[in-house]
Amino acid sequence: MSVGLIALLDDIAALAKVAAASLDDIAGQAAKAGAKAAGVVIDDAAVTPRYVTGFSASRELPIIGKIALGSVKNKLLILLPAALILSLVAPQAITPLLMIGGLFLCYEGVEKVYGLVLPHAAHAHESALETTSLDAQSLEDQKVAGAIKTDFILSAEIMAITLGALPSGNIFTQAFILAVVGLGITVMVYGGVGLIVKADDLGLMMARAQTAPPMGPFLRALGRGLVTGMPYFLKVLGVVGTAAMIWVGGGIIVHGLEAYGAGGLAHLIHDAGEVVAHAIPVLASVLRWSVEAAGAGIVGIVVGLITIPVVGYVISPLWRYLKSRLPGRRRKEALADGKK
């Protein structure tokens, strides 16, 4: 009896080790897959604060909460099942979809830079739309809806990158990892956004603190630093987000081409990284990564510059035409004409 019990306990311990190893493997895969989506995550965090600009401080966190809830629904209820179905039915479509997402990231990143250097009509049109008079609730609903639509695109790219980084295997394991990455990124992004948009309020409170020395002057100085520094921090975050989008998008394009047998560009970037790394062995890893990231970034810039005219002169007019032919849109235009 005691021998059987010991054997049973030994089997349970072995199973526990296997389970722990599996969980550790899942955690490692989730971390690696999440890291692949870093560029999209940074850009998401950089973009989201603008959706609460112009609202009272009491509405900032509720608005972020609504956007975060919409993001969770996007990832878990729509994109996760779609990703799993895709991996089962048409796994060969994952790489092309990733490359399309890479094109989108390159376009978005380079278009932002282009818009800063040469402001164009699209930006003026967007500004005109934003100044349309709406009541506070309608404006909030509009902003939240717009943020959730933007999040859907970014979340789709995050889930596609995550799925592409996972090894083929158990569908339940893939589902769990996708859910972990999706929820983890949502918490990280919108938790971080919540801290960012409330940092100036916290800084103002600290600047007015009447705490006795030595902590009082320190807290007040820190508070003033937060209030003064947050606008600059948001600008830096925006720059980092844009750069990350271009770098990640370019990297996806390079690896996608390699998957289809056109690996010359990937080998060229890799060889350049190796040359620089061997030249300065002390900083080999950092320099190798820097050169490869710069190479992917250059590819992203070139691809982005190519896609800007394609989107501006082909895709956007076609999309506007198709939208104008939708029955719902035509009814709205007819009603608007009737009111006039």
Side-chain angles (χ1 to χ4, degrees):
M1 180 73 75
S2 61
V3 173
L5 180 60
I6 291 170
L8 177 62
L9 291 173
D10 187 59
D11 289 341
I12 291 172
L15 287 171
K17 288 180 181 178
V18 171
S22 299
L23 287 173
D24 186 59
D25 186 48
I26 288 172
Q29 289 182 37
K32 289 178 183 177
K36 292 274 187 179
V40 191
V41 172
I42 295 170
D43 186 69
D44 205 0
V47 165
T48 305
R50 71 184 174 90
Y51 290 105
V52 299
T53 302
F55 291 97
S56 64
S58 62
R59 294 304 306 158
E60 289 175 344
L61 291 182
I63 290 171
I64 292 170
K66 288 181 182 179
I67 299 171
L69 180 60
S71 178
V72 170
K73 289 178 179 178
N74 283 341
K75 291 182 179 75
L76 299 189
L77 301 184
I78 301 173
L79 296 170
L80 191 152
L84 292 176
I85 291 170
L86 187 67
S87 68
L88 285 174
V89 176
Q92 67 277 9
I94 294 174
T95 298
L97 286 175
L98 275 171
M99 292 184 73
I100 291 171
L103 286 172
F104 168 77
L105 290 176
C106 294
Y107 165 76
E108 280 287 300
V110 176
E111 200 272 342
K112 285 181 181 180
V113 177
Y114 178 71
L116 290 173
V117 177
L118 296 170
H120 44 295
H123 285 205
H125 177 62
E126 288 170 6
S127 300
L129 287 177
E130 287 176 0
T131 57
T132 303
S133 58
L134 293 170
D135 62 86
Q137 187 58 52
S138 298
L139 182 61
E140 180 177 319
D141 293 341
Q142 185 186 74
K143 288 280 189 178
V144 169
I148 291 173
K149 286 178 184 176
T150 301
D151 175 89
F152 184 86
I153 297 170
L154 296 173
S155 293
E157 187 62 17
I158 287 168
M159 298 303 268
I161 291 171
T162 303
L163 185 64
L166 295 179
S168 57
N170 190 309
I171 188 170
F172 297 107
T173 301
Q174 289 183 332
F176 183 72
I177 292 173
L178 284 170
V180 168
V181 171
L183 286 172
I185 285 176
T186 302
V187 170
M188 181 173 65
V189 168
Y190 292 103
V193 169
L195 291 174
I196 288 170
V197 300
K198 301 308 289 184
D200 53 352
D201 293 339
L202 176 63
L204 188 61
M205 184 177 67
M206 292 168 64
R208 293 173 176 172
Q210 298 300 318
T211 310
M215 288 302 297
F218 171 75
L219 286 176
R220 287 190 286 273
L222 182 59
R224 288 192 294 270
L226 278 174
V227 173
T228 305
M230 282 312 297
Y232 299 102
F233 173 76
L234 287 173
K235 287 180 181 178
V236 171
L237 185 63
V239 171
V240 171
T242 300
M245 285 182 81
I246 297 171
W247 155 55
V248 172
I252 291 171
I253 298 298
V254 170
H255 292 307
L257 291 173
E258 188 177 18
Y260 286 111
L265 197 55
H267 294 312
L268 178 64
I269 293 172
H270 175 74
D271 292 344
E274 289 298 322
V275 168
V276 175
H278 286 303
I280 310 176
V282 178
L283 300 172
S285 298
V286 174
L287 291 174
R288 185 184 297 110
W289 180 89
S290 300
V291 171
E292 291 180 357
I298 292 169
V299 172
I301 290 170
V302 173
V303 170
L305 289 172
I306 293 170
T307 56
I308 285 175
V310 173
V311 171
Y313 294 107
V314 180
I315 297 175
S316 292
L318 180 62
W319 176 245
R320 284 196 297 269
Y321 172 77
L322 292 174
K323 282 177 70 177
S324 69
R325 309 313 298 169
L326 291 174
R329 179 63 175 258
R330 294 172 72 179
R331 281 198 299 271
K332 285 181 181 178
E333 289 175 354
L335 287 171
D337 290 339
K339 287 179 182 178
K340 290 178 182 177

